[in-house]
Amino acid sequence: MAAVTRLDPNAKPKVLWRGFLLYVLALPLLPASFLALMDGNPLQAIARGAGFVLAMTAATLIRKGIRLDNEARKRRLRRRASTIQYRMIGAALVSVGMFLVSWLGVSNQYGLLESILWALAVLLGCYLYYDFDPARKDPEIAAIGITTEELIELLDEAEGRLQSIESSSRRISNIEFKDRLRRIVKEARVILDTIESDPVDARRARKFLKVYLDGAQQVAEGYAKTHLQGEQHALEDNFRRVLTTIETVIAEQQVKLRENNLSDLDVTIEVLQMQIEKEGVT
């Protein structure tokens, strides 16, 4: 069984510096556009302003493309980080911005051909320094109904719910319930690791992850808030029954993932939803 990588909730995200230089290089265009406007050159002001906006937008897109690629590599996802070519689009935008600034935004205007060459040079520079989103031979996750970007978001959301369950477990005094919640979290992380390693069933597992983990989070938080309000044996019995159902569901999910068959899991998920509402633990 693959080892499960646990995210540290207190760990600070690493600062992404790549692509930040584009923000810095674009900044002089903003005061330059105001200066051109004050000098009575509205065309230059518009060109410089447009170049500034395009460069800032390009920097944001390029950095997003780099971040998604880093996330995909960290999570061992084999396919392209996104169906949207963020770095390529960003490079195109900054090239257009350079074309406008060099052709219309400088006092000694470059000719059309020279401006095009400047734009192409910027495009080449972006490609050499930032690279474009690589086209992979592996099938796209989008072909099975979910992109890698959506999968990363799904896994992050699921991990957040697991951390919330752990937080609730620490406020529960019942040793049995603490142990069962700990096992539930452990097994859920195994499922997340399985989906991450082989996301073929990610689209169909999405409903399970959202409903199952949301239900587990609700009952854990609900019980943690109310169990200290005196002796409530009925509440304990209800919570115990819900935990049993959750453990059953997660065991079935693991079997379905191994069999690559999630077609009949929806019924069990609906049963879990109804039981959570019926028991009134939340």
Side-chain angles (χ1 to χ4, degrees), residues 6-275:
R6 180 176 176 178
L7 299 180
D8 183 1
N10 298 318
K12 294 182 179 179
K14 293 182 179 179
V15 178
L16 177 62
W17 292 107
R18 288 195 65 197
F20 188 79
L21 182 62
L22 285 176
Y23 289 125
V24 178
L25 294 177
L27 285 177
L29 290 174
L30 186 59
S33 63
F34 286 108
L35 290 175
L37 192 60
M38 293 174 61
D39 290 339
N41 295 314
L43 185 60
Q44 284 188 8
I46 292 173
R48 294 173 182 179
F52 171 78
V53 172
L54 288 171
M56 297 296 279
T57 304
T60 302
L61 292 175
I62 289 174
R63 283 165 57 81
K64 182 173 184 179
I66 294 171
R67 178 181 60 80
L68 289 173
D69 189 57
N70 290 343
E71 286 288 338
R73 293 176 186 275
K74 182 178 69 175
R75 291 185 176 276
R76 297 176 287 109
L77 300 175
R78 300 185 301 275
R79 297 163 176 84
R80 194 173 64 199
S82 174
T83 53
I84 301 176
Q85 299 271 346
Y86 288 108
R87 281 179 281 183
M88 182 182 293
I89 295 173
L93 289 180
V94 74
S95 299
V96 172
M98 172 57 70
F99 170 77
L100 292 176
V101 171
S102 61
W103 189 33
L104 303 173
V106 295
S107 299
N108 299 320
Q109 294 182 355
Y110 290 98
L112 178 61
L113 180 59
E114 293 173 306
S115 300
I116 292 174
L117 291 177
W118 273 112
L120 291 176
V122 169
L123 183 65
L124 178 62
C126 287
Y127 171 74
L128 293 176
Y129 189 71
Y130 298 116
D131 198 3
F132 294 155
D133 305 90
R136 304 289 178 83
K137 295 181 180 179
D138 301 316
E140 291 292 339
I141 291 182
I144 58 172
I146 186 172
T147 66
T148 311
E149 184 176 359
E150 293 171 333
L151 179 58
I152 291 171
E153 181 180 349
L154 178 68
L155 294 173
D156 286 342
E157 180 182 350
E159 179 59 33
R161 294 191 185 281
L162 292 179
Q163 292 172 7
S164 177
I165 294 171
E166 289 178 320
S167 177
S168 298
S169 175
R170 287 191 288 269
R171 293 185 282 126
I172 295 175
S173 56
N174 188 302
I175 301 299
E176 174 198 348
F177 294 159
K178 291 173 73 74
D179 289 340
R180 295 182 72 173
L181 286 173
R182 185 162 43 247
R183 288 197 302 270
I184 286 172
V185 169
K186 180 180 178 181
E187 294 303 317
R189 285 201 170 102
V190 172
I191 289 179
L192 293 183
D193 189 73
T194 301
I195 294 173
E196 180 182 326
S197 301
D198 184 17
V200 172
D201 281 325
R203 178 180 62 83
R204 299 172 74 174
R206 177 164 44 186
K207 181 179 180 181
F208 163 78
L209 289 176
K210 288 185 176 293
V211 174
Y212 162 77
L213 292 183
D214 181 65
Q217 180 184 4
Q218 285 182 36
V219 296
E221 290 178 348
Y223 183 78
K225 290 178 182 178
T226 58
H227 82 289
L228 296 177
Q229 301 173 2
E231 293 292 331
Q232 298 191 21
H233 297 292
L235 179 64
E236 288 190 358
D237 292 339
N238 292 346
F239 189 50
R240 186 176 286 108
R241 283 194 292 270
V242 172
L243 289 179
T244 299
T245 302
I246 290 174
E247 289 172 327
T248 301
V249 171
I250 199 170
E252 293 179 356
Q253 170 70 4
Q254 290 174 323
V255 173
K256 298 302 178 183
L257 283 173
R258 285 195 294 267
E259 296 174 350
N260 288 324
N261 178 21
L262 303 180
S263 58
D264 58 348
L265 189 62
D266 286 352
V267 177
T268 310
I269 293 175
E270 299 299 334
V271 171
L272 174 60
Q273 284 181 302
M274 289 188 292
Q275 183 174 358

